[in-house]
Structures are given as C-alpha cells and as structure tokens.
C-alpha cells in the first residue's frame, strides 16, 4: 500500500505560499522525491522510516531511523529538513507509516537536519479553557529558511490558536506576513474543529467559519484566526508558518480580546 496525495498547494489554489503533501506507506514501500526550488520538511506522524538525501553537490546524507510514534498522539514531533535542489528517498521501516511534508519556495541553502523529539521546545500556551501545548520543532533559527514548524495539542473542548490573532502585514518586529497551514487529527477520529477567519475585530459576525474533520487542512493566508475543537475529543494538529521573514511570535492579537493574556 502506497498513497501520496497533495493536500494543499498554490498551484491548486488551496494555499498561497506553502504546500502540504501526505504519505501513507506499507512495509515494503518507498518513494523518491525532488525538492526543486522548494525546501521540504518531513514530519513523521506514525511508524518509522529511513530518509536518504542526495544534495546538489552530489554528496549524500542518511537519517535512519526517523520516527518513533504509533500515531500523532504518541509524543513530540520528529522532523527532517531537506534543502532545495535535492532529491531524497523515503523508505518505510515500520508500518503503518504516515508522514506529512511541508514545502516552501526558497533561494537560501541550509544543510539537511534531523530534529529529534528531545530537541523540540514545548510551550504551555493560553490558560483556562484555551490552554494547550505547543511543540516548536523548527523555530525561527532554523534549519528551514522560510518556515517555522511544529505541532499543537488541546484537551477536549479547549479552544486553540486563541485569542484570535493575525500575522498579515510586514511590520517588524510586531507583525510578519506569514501564511499558516494546519493539518488536523482527532482522537477518536469522529472529532471536528471550527476554524474561523475575520478581518475586522469589530465585525466578528462577518467571520468565515468552516468545520474541519480528521485529516483535513485549514489554510490561513491572512486575517485574525481561531480554532474551536468539539468536546470529548483530543485535538492534535501539525502546523507551519511560511513567508519571506521568519519570526515566531510576530503576530497581533485581536485588541478586543487581548486582556485574556493579562494577569
């Protein structure tokens, strides 16, 4: 069994800057991919693989094994960075194997890197019924040159990505223009989440709200945004922030709700 699908891409009109692919492999499956003018980050959600990277200068590098979780709910993320102009092979070592690959265009070279779970920074974010854990695997200091990547997990019913915030305008250091792309998982998988975007804090009734289910993606190219998971289900999602400038925390909260962060 081998399944590779594109969940979002600018070419398909389902995202603005970032692309997202999903891989599902059986025990004997493998696949060679080329990065072209993009940088790739492979996030192993379940199972184990080997990743062999062939660089533009004809040298190679291998990471084996990569991945130790039974599923995305089994611990912190583990990711591998692959630079532009490379090709790489993903080989399933332990099934069921599932991974997502975030990509972004770049003209900056950075060497391959394997980020293991013990290297991931975990931040307790929010409080009360919007408290969640944020796992930052690749922050603003690299290795990706155009992306910041991680995962977040929320207890049943707790809101996430809250208070609503935006990263729409290049107004450093307070705000950076960064697209955000989420990929959702729920336990049990009957769960769902409400994702909303609005442009004006005084006109929340004009928010564009959608229901997202297990395995679906939510693209936020601009605007204030928030996530409201349904009760009775654990929520765990991968995310990437992508743009010309990397700056974690360079966002502006909805001024009507910023008081929630005080005290």
């Amino acid at each position: 069994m081998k399944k590779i699908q594109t969940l979002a891409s600018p070419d398909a009109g389902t995202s603005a800057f970032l692309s997202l692919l999903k891989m599902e492999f059986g025990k004997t499956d493998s696949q060679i991919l080329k990065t072209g003018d993009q940088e790739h980050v492979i996030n192993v959600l379940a199972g184990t693989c080997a990743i062999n990277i062939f660089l533009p200068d004809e040298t190679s590098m291998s990471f084996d094994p990569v991945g130790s979780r039974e599923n995305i709910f089994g611990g912190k993320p583990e990711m591998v960075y692959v630079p532009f102009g490379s090709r790489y092979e993903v080989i399933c070592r332990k099934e069921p194997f599932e991974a997502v690959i975030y990509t972004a265009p770049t003209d900056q070279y950075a060497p391959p890197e394997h980020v293991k779970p013990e290297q991931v920074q975990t931040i307790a974010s929010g409080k009360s019924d919007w408290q969640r854990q944020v796992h930052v695997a690749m922050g603003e200091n690299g290795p990706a040159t155009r992306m910041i990547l991680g995962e977040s997990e929320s207890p049943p019913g707790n809101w996430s990505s809250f208070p609503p915030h935006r990263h729409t305008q290049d107004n450093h250091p307070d705000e950076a223009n960064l697209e955000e792309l989420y990929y959702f998982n729920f336990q049990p998988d009957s769960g769902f989440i409400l994702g909303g975007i609005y442009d004006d804090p005084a006109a929340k009734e004009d928010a564009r709200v959608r229901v997202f289910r297990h395995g679906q993606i939510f693209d936020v190219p601009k605007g204030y945004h928030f996530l409201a998971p349904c009760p009775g289900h654990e929520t765990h999602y991968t995310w990437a922030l992508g743009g010309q400038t990397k700056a974690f925390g360079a966002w502006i909260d909805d001024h009507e709700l910023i008081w929630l962060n005080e005290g």
Side-chain angles (χ1 to χ4, degrees), residues 188-228:
D189 62 10
S190 55
F192 63 89
I193 195 167
L194 299 179
I197 305 175
Y198 56 89
D199 299 315
D200 182 359
K204 292 184 178 63
E205 63 273 16
D206 295 331
R208 304 173 294 282
V209 180
R210 282 187 56 194
V211 173
F212 298 93
R213 307 200 67 164
H214 186 84
Q216 293 186 327
I217 63 102
F218 178 29
D219 176 51
V220 182
K222 62 180 181 178
Y224 295 92
H225 49 284
F226 61 88
L227 298 171

Side-chain angles (χ1 to χ4, degrees), residues 86-105:
S86 305
R87 60 185 176 91
Y88 63 98
E89 183 179 25
V90 180
I91 305 168
C92 178
R93 296 290 195 217
K94 180 183 177 182
E95 62 177 342
F97 173 77
E98 180 182 356
V100 290
I101 304 172
Y102 284 96
T103 85

Side-chain angles (χ1 to χ4, degrees), residues 74-232:
K76 295 183 179 182
E78 186 168 352
M79 302 187 185
V80 170
Y81 174 77
V82 184
F84 78 90
S86 305
R87 60 185 176 91
Y88 63 98
E89 183 179 25
V90 180
I91 305 168
C92 178
R93 296 290 195 217
K94 180 183 177 182
E95 62 177 342
F97 173 77
E98 180 182 356
V100 290
I101 304 172
Y102 284 96
T103 85
T106 186
D107 57 2
Q108 296 185 26
Y109 181 85
E113 186 169 334
H114 179 193
V115 177
K116 299 179 180 180
E118 58 268 25
Q119 298 172 276
V120 173
Q121 179 189 14
T122 297
I123 302 168
S125 186
K127 53 188 175 181
S128 185
D129 51 6
W130 67 96
Q131 187 173 16
R132 67 274 187 191
Q133 297 288 317
V134 179
H135 306 297
V136 182
M138 295 190 183
E140 61 186 83
N141 294 322
T145 68
R146 293 285 188 255
M147 294 186 285
I148 298 172
L149 303 104
E151 295 180 358
S152 297
E153 51 184 315
S154 294
N158 272 27
W159 283 44
S160 193
S161 195
F162 198 83
H165 59 282
R166 77 174 197 199
H167 27 81
T168 301
Q169 299 178 8
D170 280 319
N171 184 24
H172 305 290
D174 298 325
E175 184 180 5
N177 181 12
L178 296 167
E179 178 180 38
E180 190 158 18
L181 199 56
Y182 301 94
Y183 173 75
F184 297 114
N185 286 259
F186 303 98
Q187 191 168 258
D189 62 10
S190 55
F192 63 89
I193 195 167
L194 299 179
I197 305 175
Y198 56 89
D199 299 315
D200 182 359
K204 292 184 178 63
E205 63 273 16
D206 295 331
R208 304 173 294 282
V209 180
R210 282 187 56 194
V211 173
F212 298 93
R213 307 200 67 164
H214 186 84
Q216 293 186 327
I217 63 102
F218 178 29
D219 176 51
V220 182
K222 62 180 181 178
Y224 295 92
H225 49 284
F226 61 88
L227 298 171
C230 68

Side-chain angles (χ1 to χ4, degrees), residues 73 105 240:
F73 296 92

